Amino acid sequence: NIFNTFFSLDSELQALLNSTDPDAWRTIYDQKNQTSVRLTDEDLDIIRRISSQTYANPDFDAESYHYENDSLEDKIFPVSNRPVPKRGFIPSKWEAKKITHLIKLIRLKILHPIKKKEPEVFDIWEDAILDPVVDETTSKGPPHIPAPRMELPIHEHSYNPPEEYLFDEDEISKLEKEGELENTFIPSKFDCLRRVPAYDKLITERFERCLDLYLCPRAMKMRMNVDPESILPPPIDTSDLKPYPTSIRIRYDFDQIIDSKNIQMSASSDGFWLAVGVGNLLTVFEISTSRIAFKLDISKLAQQVNIYDEPSSSDETQESNTNSITTLAFHPNLPILACGVEEYLFILVLKLPSICFAEDSEASTDIEQEETSDSDEIIKNSKNKEKDPIKDYQHSLELFEDLHTYNKESSKLELLSWNSINLDSNSELNKELSSAVVIKHQSTIRHLSWHSKGGYLAAVSPRAISPSQRVVIHSINRCSSITAFKKLSGLVKSVQFHSSNPWLIVATQTCIRIVDLTSSKTGNKKLGNQNTGKALVKKLIGIEDPTTISLDSSGKHIFVGQSNGRIAWFDLDLGNTPYKLLRYSESAIKKVQFHQGKSMVFSASKNGTINVFHCRMPTDLMSDPVFVPLKVIKGELSFISSAIWHPRQPWIFTAGINKDGKPSLILWG
């Protein structure tokens, strides 16, 4: 049909072009009457007006057309048959009350009628013409505003100015081309004052000055003459906040070539020993002298438990089964070192030259546990009764000796089972270790965190297939392990025990959850569900991909380092959103940590920059925290793998890659 339509139009156009009739262009065919009609000039004018979107009738005037409503006669029937409301005939009750109230106020002489004041006519100048000194306090007119003073002459206005103020011919010709020669003052030089002629623009400038004085209006602008620096609080002198790390104190060198960027560190609570794990080599340094106390090859322990022959359940270890150290954590009171090697957790009792227990630290205590199934095992309130650290140390050794000794020929390692490693009396391991325990996890262990009293150890395996195996809590005093949660959504980045409450702080990719470990619903409900009862204490939001968390000594403030270079500061007393958001780092935050004995906190970025701050938290809700930047340490390391505080001194240990591409371990003090 469309083809036929175009074909017919084409044929009609061709017939019009071939026609010899001069009126063929204005002739149309009337299909109804089957005749040809010739259009008149009026018809063509109507078609032209319609195509130009105007009225067809040329005599019609749209502006003169209007609806004459007043000329209509009254009709019998109304437009609307709605009856007139009753309120149109009855006085308003509320207006009567308002009038009565106003009358009462007038009778009590509380409300007075407003009297219109007639404008006062007075002489603005008064006696100012005769007496130029006018008292502004008694004057009825507006206050006198003095005229702006003329600018004082400068060096170029002198009759004998210096040579650098004089114009040369090139500058004068340039002003002539730009048309600014008349408006520019050109200095002239004369030998003496008596040779100076009259100023040719004197009358013109004085006349313009008079015009400005009486034609331009003046207004007083109230401006505060306040020094901006006086508004700010007085700066804190950082020299009063010393000591804090400023320079390199000790460099710890490795006695062999190490090709690894993943360097893990942990310092003992007494401040004497520093454990460093690089690859499969565990080295313990004496902090004060940088002497190597002993070295341990983790591959020897791996051979004892036959790790090389066992198939790995995680994808990471299937790709490269190197058995490298992934994380380290010293016991808060005892010479026990927790070492994560891929998906295996080694609890090593070290033979150090001298063991110094902290006198002011609380000993490890038992945390009661319900004797139910593994899914319902939870942590109870810890006892406050103090114990002797040496007795706890001996008790732990006895428990480790009573464990099942693993035999790689007759058995396999079971998941979360405690197995003692057989240390031969003639082997090198027996010279460095008193005892060793191995616990197998489902995936690579990325983070270890001890309870402040040393009774429990939390291990994080983010890539575990089963959600219940991502956070595992090990009891040192009972030699048993429990899974904290049956269901846990999101990738777990880090965990930390609360310092004063039985809470566990769990950092995931999108939020931070603070969980009450004494609640029996922790293992049965999903974190974040509203039906968890006391399980979920608080959910902190407003973060993206956290990398590290740190809790201050009071337990009310949490610093969260993120991969985008920001640090979120949470105050648990204020809400679940960040109290402050610190934006000063350009690369990812690798470590944020509060000093447990000093009012300081540091953040280590991935690009090798360390920022040290003085952070004093308030003791009441009326005062604000004090946060002062102290030092920015950079230039030594191009990449930071790990950083920690010294347990007792204001020193920082940093481990990473230096500018030469070699592993480096530095103590800043």
Side-chain angles (χ1 to χ4, degrees):
N1 295 333
I2 297 176
F3 177 75
N4 295 334
T5 302
F6 280 106
F7 182 76
S8 61
L9 292 175
D10 190 15
S11 60
E12 291 178 1
L13 180 61
Q14 191 65 30
L16 177 62
L17 295 175
N18 297 332
S19 177
T20 58
D21 186 7
D23 295 334
W25 62 275
R26 61 193 304 172
T27 304
I28 61 174
Y29 182 74
D30 188 1
Q31 293 184 356
K32 184 177 181 180
N33 299 322
Q34 298 294 322
T35 58
S36 297
V37 180
R38 180 181 177 276
L39 298 177
T40 62
D41 294 340
E42 290 78 5
D43 297 336
L44 293 176
D45 186 36
I46 291 173
I47 294 174
R48 191 180 301 109
R49 292 176 66 85
I50 292 174
S51 62
S52 62
Q53 297 181 358
T54 58
Y55 293 100
N57 187 4
D59 299 333
F60 179 76
D61 187 6
E63 296 181 357
S64 63
Y65 179 78
H66 64 279
Y67 179 71
E68 298 179 356
N69 191 17
D70 297 338
S71 62
L72 296 178
E73 298 178 358
D74 294 337
K75 303 297 182 179
I76 300 175
F77 301 102
V79 178
S80 176
N81 200 17
R82 181 183 299 174
V84 180
K86 188 178 179 181
R87 62 176 177 269
F89 304 96
I90 300 176
S92 176
K93 179 177 63 175
W94 304 108
E95 289 182 0
K97 288 185 176 182
K98 183 67 175 178
I99 293 172
T100 305
H101 178 65
L102 294 176
I103 292 173
K104 185 177 181 180
L105 293 178
I106 293 173
R107 289 177 178 176
L108 295 175
K109 297 183 180 181
I110 297 175
L111 184 64
H112 301 280
I114 300 175
K115 296 181 180 179
K116 293 184 179 180
K117 292 184 179 180
E118 296 182 359
E120 185 180 0
V121 180
F122 59 91
D123 186 7
I124 297 178
W125 302 105
E126 293 181 351
D127 298 333
I129 298 175
L130 302 177
D131 187 6
V133 181
V134 180
D135 189 4
E136 296 183 0
T137 58
T138 59
S139 177
K140 297 181 181 180
H144 174 67
I145 301 176
R149 297 183 179 181
M150 296 183 64
E151 295 181 358
L152 296 177
I154 55 178
H155 290 295
E156 64 179 5
H157 296 143
S158 174
Y159 70 92
N160 190 10
E163 296 293 336
E164 58 267 17
Y165 288 96
L166 299 177
F167 288 7
D168 54 6
E169 295 180 358
D170 296 337
E171 293 177 350
I172 294 175
S173 61
K174 184 178 180 180
L175 292 174
E176 289 180 355
K177 292 179 181 179
E178 295 177 355
E180 298 181 358
L181 184 61
E182 296 181 356
N183 300 327
T184 305
F185 176 77
I186 300 177
S188 301
K189 189 171 184 178
F190 301 95
D191 297 338
C192 55
L193 185 60
R194 58 188 176 84
R195 295 184 181 180
V196 178
Y199 184 43
D200 54 350
K201 297 182 181 180
L202 177 63
I203 298 176
T204 305
E205 290 184 357
R206 293 301 174 184
F207 178 71
E208 292 178 354
R209 169 71 175 173
C210 293
L211 293 178
D212 294 340
L213 290 177
Y214 81 90
L215 290 181
C216 296
R218 305 174 198 170
M220 293 292 292
K221 292 185 178 180
M222 304 300 293
R223 294 180 180 177
M224 296 180 63
N225 189 13
V226 179
D227 187 9
E229 296 182 357
S230 63
I231 301 176
L232 300 175
I236 299 176
D237 190 5
T238 56
S239 60
D240 298 337
L241 303 177
K242 288 184 178 181
Y244 55 84
T246 56
S247 59
I248 298 176
R249 192 177 185 90
I250 299 176
R251 287 182 184 270
Y252 300 90
D253 297 327
F254 300 97
D255 57 352
Q256 63 183 20
I257 299 175
I258 297 172
D259 186 14
S260 177
K261 289 186 177 181
N262 186 15
I263 305 175
Q264 301 297 325
M265 292 188 302
S266 181
S268 60
S269 60
D270 53 14
F272 289 160
W273 311 106
L274 177 67
V276 181
V278 185
N280 57 0
L281 182 63
L282 175 62
T283 308
V284 177
F285 291 93
E286 188 178 359
I287 294 177
S288 58
T289 61
S290 72
R291 180 181 62 87
I292 297 177
F294 69 84
K295 293 185 297 182
L296 178 63
D297 192 356
I298 294 296
S299 60
K300 296 180 180 179
L301 283 176
Q303 292 174 0
Q304 293 290 331
V305 295
N306 205 11
I307 290 178
Y308 291 113
D309 299 333
E310 287 192 4
S312 177
S313 60
S314 63
D315 298 337
E316 298 175 3
T317 53
Q318 286 179 1
E319 295 176 359
S320 60
N321 197 3
T322 58
N323 293 301
S324 60
I325 298 174
T326 56
T327 180
L328 291 173
F330 251 113
H331 192 280
N333 301 312
L334 304 178
I336 298 176
L337 179 64
C339 178
V341 182
E342 299 298 337
E343 68 266 26
Y344 297 92
L345 174 62
F346 291 93
I347 300 178
L348 310 176
V349 182
L350 307 179
K351 288 183 178 180
L352 296 176
S354 61
I355 304 299
C356 299
F357 294 101
E359 297 179 357
D360 56 346
S361 63
E362 296 182 359
S364 175
T365 59
D366 292 338
I367 299 181
E368 295 182 358
Q369 182 177 351
E370 291 185 359
E371 297 180 356
T372 55
S373 60
D374 293 340
S375 61
D376 296 333
E377 285 184 336
I378 52 172
I379 298 177
K380 288 287 186 178
N381 291 325
S382 58
K383 298 180 180 179
N384 296 324
K385 183 179 178 181
E386 296 184 358
K387 294 184 178 181
D388 188 6
I390 299 178
K391 291 183 180 180
D392 280 350
Y393 176 60
Q394 295 174 354
H395 177 65
S396 299
L397 289 178
E398 293 175 359
L399 289 176
F400 292 166
E401 291 175 358
D402 295 339
L403 288 175
H404 169 69
T405 303
Y406 174 73
N407 187 0
K408 63 181 180 180
E409 297 178 356
S410 61
S411 62
K412 283 188 176 182
L413 281 177
E414 296 181 359
L415 198 63
L416 300 183
S417 63
W418 289 58
N419 297 274
S420 177
I421 300 176
N422 186 15
L423 303 177
D424 296 335
S425 59
N426 297 327
S427 64
E428 297 180 358
L429 297 177
N430 193 24
K431 298 178 182 179
E432 300 167 349
L433 303 177
S434 298
S435 62
V437 177
V438 61
I439 307 169
K440 183 181 179 181
H441 290 67
Q442 198 176 47
S443 179
T444 304
I445 303 171
R446 292 298 180 187
H447 181 72
L448 293 173
S449 178
W450 284 96
H451 191 268
S452 60
K453 297 181 180 180
Y456 283 85
L457 173 66
V460 177
S461 301
R463 300 293 181 181
I465 299 174
S466 176
S468 61
Q469 299 292 330
R470 293 174 185 172
V471 179
V472 181
I473 300 177
H474 305 281
S475 175
I476 304 300
N477 298 331
R478 293 180 177 271
C479 294
S480 61
S481 303
I482 57 174
T483 56
F485 316 102
K486 271 196 170 182
K487 294 181 180 179
L488 187 61
S489 60
L491 186 65
V492 182
K493 291 301 189 74
S494 179
V495 297
Q496 186 175 356
F497 288 99
H498 196 272
S499 57
S500 57
N501 296 321
W503 297 346
L504 183 66
I505 304 172
V506 183
T508 60
Q509 280 184 317
T510 57
C511 64
I512 293 178
R513 295 179 173 92
I514 303 176
V515 185
D516 188 0
L517 295 175
T518 60
S519 173
S520 60
K521 298 181 180 180
T522 306
N524 300 329
K525 296 293 182 180
K526 183 178 179 181
L527 282 179
N529 195 338
Q530 296 180 357
N531 299 325
T532 55
K534 295 188 299 181
L536 185 62
V537 177
K538 184 170 286 190
K539 182 179 179 181
L540 307 179
I541 59 175
I543 58 174
E544 296 178 1
D545 194 15
T547 56
T548 176
I549 59 174
S550 181
L551 182 71
D552 72 327
S553 57
S554 65
K556 297 181 180 180
H557 298 268
I558 300 176
F559 273 26
V560 182
Q562 305 177 63
S563 60
N564 56 6
R566 299 178 181 179
I567 295 179
W569 180 352
F570 288 95
D571 190 344
L572 300 183
D573 292 336
L574 296 182
N576 61 345
T577 55
Y579 166 69
K580 295 287 184 182
L581 200 59
L582 308 179
R583 306 180 182 91
Y584 57 84
S585 178
E586 297 179 355
S587 62
I589 302 297
K590 198 71 177 178
K591 184 70 175 180
V592 172
Q593 188 178 9
F594 282 95
H595 198 289
Q596 296 302 319
K598 311 289 183 181
S599 298
M600 285 189 292
V601 62
F602 81 87
S603 69
S605 303
K606 195 174 182 180
N607 59 359
T609 304
I610 303 171
N611 297 82
V612 186
F613 303 94
H614 171 79
C615 187
R616 186 171 68 249
M617 298 304 176
T619 56
D620 55 351
L621 297 177
M622 299 302 294
S623 57
D624 295 330
V626 179
F627 193 77
V628 181
L630 296 177
K631 183 70 176 178
V632 179
I633 303 173
K634 59 182 179 180
E636 287 293 330
L637 299 177
S638 60
F639 174 80
I640 288 182
S641 176
S642 178
I644 57 173
W645 277 112
H646 189 279
R648 296 179 179 272
Q649 300 295 334
W651 303 339
I652 298 177
F653 296 96
T654 58
I657 306 300
N658 56 16
K659 294 182 178 180
D660 299 333
K662 298 179 181 179
S664 179
L665 181 60
I666 301 174
L667 172 61
W668 301 86

